[in-house]
Structure formats: C-alpha cells, structure tokens
Amino acid sequence: MSGTAQAGRVAGYAGLFLLGIVVGLAGALVQSAWFPGGLLLALTACAGLFYGGMRATGTQVGVLAPGGGWLVAVVLLSLGRPEGDQLFWGGVAELVYVLGGMVVAVMCATIPRLPHRDGRTGSPGM
C-alpha cells in the first residue's frame, strides 16, 4: 500500500473517531431530553455510524474507530465535575444508552467481513 493511500486511510479513521465523539455527545444530550424517542434516536444514530463506518472502510476497524470515539465521549461525560454537575444521573435511560451503544458497537464489529469484488473475504489489499 502506498504512503498516500495509507495516510488517507488513517485520516478516514481519525475522522470516524471524531464523528464518534460528536455522536456520543449528541446522543447523551438527546436521550435524556426526549425520552423515550430521544433514546431510540440516539441508539439509531450509533448504529448508523458504526455500521456506516464498517461499510465505508470495508473493515472492522471502521467500527472500532467511531466506537472508540463514542466511548471516550460517554465516559468523559459520565465523570461529572467537582461542583456536582453531571450529564448522566444514573437513571434507566442513561444505562440503556450506554449499554445499548456498546451492544450495537459489538454487533456491528462482529458482522462478517464484506466480500470483495472478486468474491474473497478479508481486509482490502490481502
């Protein structure tokens, strides 16, 4: 693989990671604002991002990059501040969002690899 293609792939994964952070933040805000519709919307956005990342890259790393960004955002938002401000208060909706997002990421990561044009499976370039 050439250096330009490798740099493009790394930039794509970094973009997916940042998009995962954005979806994690938006989902954390939406799921508590419009329960239960907001929770379904947030989990649907997670599923779309994770599955879309896999389809766009053709590899499971395409799921792991946005999943890692989503997880970083959710963990940082759940820590709270010393003043007592926090986004997650430990309710059922928050737990369903966190656990549901992780389940969706695992489901998308364990989908069998996409077949290539020549019928083989595996990562591109192999």
Side-chain angles (χ1 to χ4, degrees), residues 13 17 19 24 27-28 31-32 35 44 50 52-53 56 62 69 79 81-82 86 88-89 91 94 108 110 122-123:
Y13 291 142
F17 183 83
L19 196 55
Q31 60 86 22
S32 62
F35 184 77
T44 303
F50 300 152
L79 293 177
R81 295 178 22 162
Q86 56 188 19
F88 292 123
W89 289 95
E94 289 89 356
C108 290
T110 56
S123 62

Side-chain angles (χ1 to χ4, degrees), residues 12-26 49-50 53 65-67 69-70:
Y13 291 142
L16 285 171
F17 183 83
L18 292 175
L19 196 55
I21 290 174
V22 170
V23 169
L25 175 62
L49 175 63
F50 300 152
W70 178 86

Side-chain angles (χ1 to χ4, degrees), residues 42-116:
L43 288 175
T44 303
C46 290
L49 175 63
F50 300 152
Y51 186 72
M54 186 198 63
R55 294 291 293 185
T57 62
T59 65
Q60 273 106 0
V61 179
V63 177
L64 298 177
W70 178 86
L71 187 63
V72 165
V74 169
V75 167
L76 289 178
L77 291 172
S78 67
L79 293 177
R81 295 178 22 162
E83 295 86 14
D85 299 336
Q86 56 188 19
L87 194 58
F88 292 123
W89 289 95
V92 173
E94 289 89 356
L95 290 174
V96 170
Y97 176 63
V98 171
L99 295 176
M102 285 190 271
V103 166
V104 168
V106 169
M107 286 172 46
C108 290
T110 56
I111 291 175
R113 291 181 186 228
L114 302 170
H116 293 277

